[in-house]
Amino acid sequence: MAALRQEIPAAEIQRQKDICRRIRVSLGDGERFAMVDTYGCQQNESDSEVLRGYLGAMGYALTGDEEKADVIVVNTCAVREHAQMRVFGNVGALSHVKRVHPERIVVLCGCMAQSEAIREKVKRSYRMVDLCFGPHDLWRFPELMERTLQVHGLSGNRGRVFSAADAEAVAEGMPRARDGSVKAWLTIMNGCNNFCSYCIVPYVRGRERSRRSEEVVREAEALVAAGYRDITLLGQNVNSYGRGLEEECDFADLLRKINAIPGDFRIRFMTSHPKDATEKLFAAMAECEKCAPHLHLPVQSGSDRILKAMNRGYTREKYLHQVELARRYIPELVLTTDVIVGFPGETEADFLDTLSLTEEVGFDSMFTFIYSRRPGTKAAEWPDDTPRAVIQDRFDRLLESANAAAAALHAAQEGKTFRVLIDGRSKNGDYNLSSRTAGGRLVHLRGDESLIGQWAQARITGSNTYALFGEIAPIRSPDESMTGPNNG
Ligand code: SAH
Ligand code: SF4
Ligand code: F3S
């Protein structure tokens, strides 16, 4: 698949912003609302911030109320069939909104919309959708929106806009309406080159392309200056950051550059592919005091046979070696992972390999998925005859083991004190604040809401499978709040 890497010129982004202004003027006075409904991963959350940024520039106020929204944007995910079904269900349900308010605009974008088969299905069967475009077109949403608004009002001949760009863009300078003021996403790269045999992402997000480090650092500086204290660097495979750039800057170098930005903030990142995680990265994580001691390292399976069929590029032994190496550099490391159960041809023995690997590592949390056949991927063509009940049983056993491991790891934190960032409200019994340790563990606390956005020392007094519970420990000296242990 030949890919076109296209850096969108600044003048082009400016033109998109000008279109936003034109839309705002042409729509005239009066309140208008837009909502963006997001499915899928953090990458999509981040893209939705751009959609909201553009919509704001067009003069739409953001709402969470579907009844009120003049524009409803559904930013979709294609990674599993289930996610896709939910989108179709929810978009289908919008037909009642369109019956009452035909002037309203429904936009379907994101990963599903990059697939031609899906676009055809939407064209045919989801008549309520006015505009449909995939992630490659995100940067030119204003232009597509303007076209939609133009064709939309034509009497008796309601037009619809379907776009299918195949240029895989790197765009800088798009407006962004961020969610929250404490934690921020920072996309450092787009796309994926790995073609794991089960995965649709490379087909809908295109080839891997990194943003220039200068742009990433500039955005990180702006976030720190705006008061953000928790920055998550995003990419499908951050460990391969920098490939294809003219400059010499790999992910470990990038971490160091961001770590050098003055300020009291934490750097997180996801996702790390085990085949590309290097000793250099672990060393950088250990040295960069702002870098969270957390690694999300999806293993997917513990069976070499299945890992090979998945095209993951590592063995069980290599994975375990990576974990050992990472822990040697960062003893307090918090490890999380993704696992797929029921990959085509997975036997009970393969599954037991997965179970034993996860037990051996001891993950703080595990995202477990039942394999979902994605048409167009390699694995979709393979015989897949394991009975559903067998797969469900494996899934349940894995989940039980994962929960037990998480609960034990969490219980072991009781009595310890961590430096946490209070990042929002919690609704867990009488715990009203939520916070995160450096390693990313959730700690529920009690305290005044004015503490949101602040650092605190939290003494852990309880735990369960999903979280820790604690009390805010008194800070003895002003310095202590700045230099407390950044452990796990
Ligand atoms: N780029 C990341 C993850 C992308 S998708 C990585 O490589 O790890 C997030 C997770 O969804 C994957 O880690 C995988 O566990 C799961 N996933 C992807 N495709 C899937 C499929 N077809 N069926 C079930 N789970 C899938
Ligand atoms: Fe999908 Fe594999 Fe790429 Fe992750 S690395 S997005 S699982 S193809
Ligand atoms: Fe889904 Fe696209 Fe993310 S398919 S998981 S939203 S990259």
Side-chain angles (χ1 to χ4, degrees):
M1 214 189 296
L4 210 65
R5 185 185 198 272
Q6 192 189 5
E7 271 210 38
I8 307 298
E12 188 49 55
I13 298 300
Q14 187 53 49
R15 194 175 72 83
Q16 299 300 322
K17 291 180 183 166
D18 293 343
I19 294 174
C20 290
R21 199 167 321 124
R22 207 152 68 208
I23 292 175
R24 196 169 66 220
V25 171
S26 75
L27 289 175
D29 292 337
E31 271 196 314
R32 277 179 303 278
F33 295 95
M35 74 172 275
V36 179
D37 197 6
T38 312
Y39 294 76
C41 65
Q42 291 81 359
Q43 199 90 53
N44 255 17
E45 299 280 352
S46 169
D47 287 354
S48 284
E49 293 181 346
V50 172
L51 292 163
R52 291 193 188 99
Y54 272 140
L55 285 163
M58 292 173 203
Y60 291 98
L62 297 171
T63 177
D65 182 357
E66 202 175 272
E67 294 299 318
K68 204 159 98 177
D70 301 286
V71 177
I72 300 174
V73 182
V74 188
N75 191 10
T76 65
C77 170
V79 82
R80 280 171 292 274
E81 168 116 47
H82 179 70
Q84 220 161 268
M85 304 269 280
R86 267 178 54 219
V87 167
F88 278 129
N90 292 347
V91 170
L94 291 176
S95 62
H96 84 272
V97 177
K98 290 288 281 195
R99 255 197 305 278
V100 187
H101 303 284
E103 74 289 357
R104 295 199 175 169
I105 291 186
V106 175
V107 181
L108 190 144
C109 61
C111 294
M112 275 170 68
Q114 194 65 42
S115 136
E116 196 182 330
I118 300 276
R119 277 201 306 275
E120 285 308 313
K121 181 167 171 172
V122 170
K123 229 178 238 174
R124 260 195 336 269
S125 316
Y126 290 81
R127 301 287 313 170
M128 68 296 287
V129 172
D130 300 292
L131 167 61
C132 182
F133 65 92
H136 299 340
D137 275 319
L138 177 69
W139 63 275
R140 61 190 201 107
F141 171 47
E143 178 185 334
L144 298 172
M145 210 28 209
E146 185 176 51
R147 218 189 309 152
T148 307
L149 287 165
Q150 281 165 358
V151 298
H152 189 70
L154 302 181
S155 53
N157 181 23
R158 196 186 126 231
R160 306 163 79 204
V161 176
F162 284 75
S163 179
D166 55 7
E168 298 168 1
V170 178
E172 299 293 347
M174 297 180 288
R176 201 177 260 279
R178 293 190 183 270
D179 293 334
S181 54
V182 184
K183 298 191 283 188
W185 308 122
L186 204 178
T187 298
I188 63 167
M189 59 203 295
N190 271 300
C192 181
N193 286 355
N194 289 319
F195 289 94
C196 301
S197 60
Y198 50 81
C199 184
I200 196 75
V201 171
Y203 301 89
V204 292
R205 285 268 172 183
R207 291 301 64 69
E208 187 178 286
R209 54 222 184 267
S210 298
R211 293 175 65 195
R212 280 180 282 121
S213 70
E214 178 195 330
E215 297 287 354
V216 174
V217 170
R218 202 197 320 254
E219 188 172 340
E221 283 169 345
L223 288 170
V224 174
Y228 288 92
R229 295 191 148 174
D230 188 298
I231 299 176
T232 304
L233 311 178
L234 293 180
Q236 292 300 343
N237 178 15
V238 293
N239 301 141
S240 62
Y241 172 84
R243 282 182 207 159
L245 283 179
E246 279 171 22
E247 56 182 320
E248 277 289 318
C249 180
D250 66 13
F251 184 58
D253 301 328
L254 184 71
L255 269 185
R256 290 181 198 274
K257 287 187 191 195
I258 298 174
N259 190 64
I261 299 172
D264 195 8
F265 65 98
R266 269 179 194 151
I267 311 165
R268 305 184 181 284
F269 56 86
M270 67 190 310
T271 294
S272 289
H273 195 302
K275 83 175 162 55
D276 298 315
T278 58
E279 187 161 358
K280 183 179 171 193
L281 169 66
F282 302 146
M285 287 177 71
E287 276 168 41
C288 293
E289 74 286 357
K290 289 167 189 153
C291 185
H294 172 213
L295 202 53
H296 182 64
L297 199 63
V299 66
Q300 313 297 2
S301 169
S303 150
D304 281 343
R305 207 176 65 83
I306 297 294
L307 285 170
K308 190 154 192 286
M310 285 177 164
N311 191 30
R312 288 291 286 178
Y314 54 87
T315 58
R316 173 193 179 95
E317 193 190 332
K318 164 129 192 249
Y319 185 89
L320 290 171
H321 173 71
Q322 295 278 32
V323 167
E324 193 203 310
L325 195 60
R327 281 180 167 155
R328 213 180 304 150
Y329 277 93
I330 313 137
E332 70 281 18
L333 187 70
V334 174
L335 266 166
T336 56
T337 199
D338 295 348
V339 176
I340 296 176
V341 176
F343 185 79
E346 181 191 78
T347 62
E348 176 65 14
D350 293 319
F351 171 71
L352 289 176
D353 282 346
T354 298
L355 198 58
S356 73
L357 178 135
T358 61
E359 281 169 1
E360 190 173 333
V361 174
F363 292 103
D364 223 87
S365 80
M366 195 145 82
F367 299 87
T368 48
F369 305 104
I370 288 185
Y371 169 75
S372 169
R373 189 181 160 272
R374 308 314 294 131
T377 61
K378 277 248 163 60
E381 293 152 27
W382 300 340
D384 180 11
D385 47 16
T386 314
R388 178 75 200 191
V390 171
I391 294 176
Q392 186 65 47
D393 176 62
R394 288 180 193 159
F395 182 84
D396 294 345
R397 280 146 70 201
L398 183 66
L399 195 61
E400 195 180 319
S401 151
N403 286 346
L409 273 166
H410 288 166
Q413 311 309 316
E414 292 179 23
K416 294 187 191 169
T417 299
F418 292 96
R419 184 179 193 235
V420 296
L421 176 64
I422 301 177
D423 57 11
R425 292 182 183 83
S426 158
K427 285 193 209 99
N428 207 302
D430 61 345
Y431 289 87
N432 63 328
L433 295 175
S434 81
S435 70
R436 295 268 169 188
T437 67
R441 292 186 176 117
L442 173 63
V443 186
H444 297 290
L445 297 169
R446 298 187 199 95
D448 198 89
E449 291 200 352
S450 63
L451 291 171
I452 293 174
Q454 305 293 315
W455 301 102
Q457 298 289 347
R459 204 177 68 81
I460 307 306
T461 52
S463 69
N464 64 22
T465 304
Y466 310 102
L468 307 175
F469 297 84
E471 52 194 34
I472 297 176
I475 293 171
R476 281 180 295 274
S477 76
D479 261 345
E480 212 173 320
S481 71
M482 306 299 285
T483 58
N486 229 355
N487 50 347

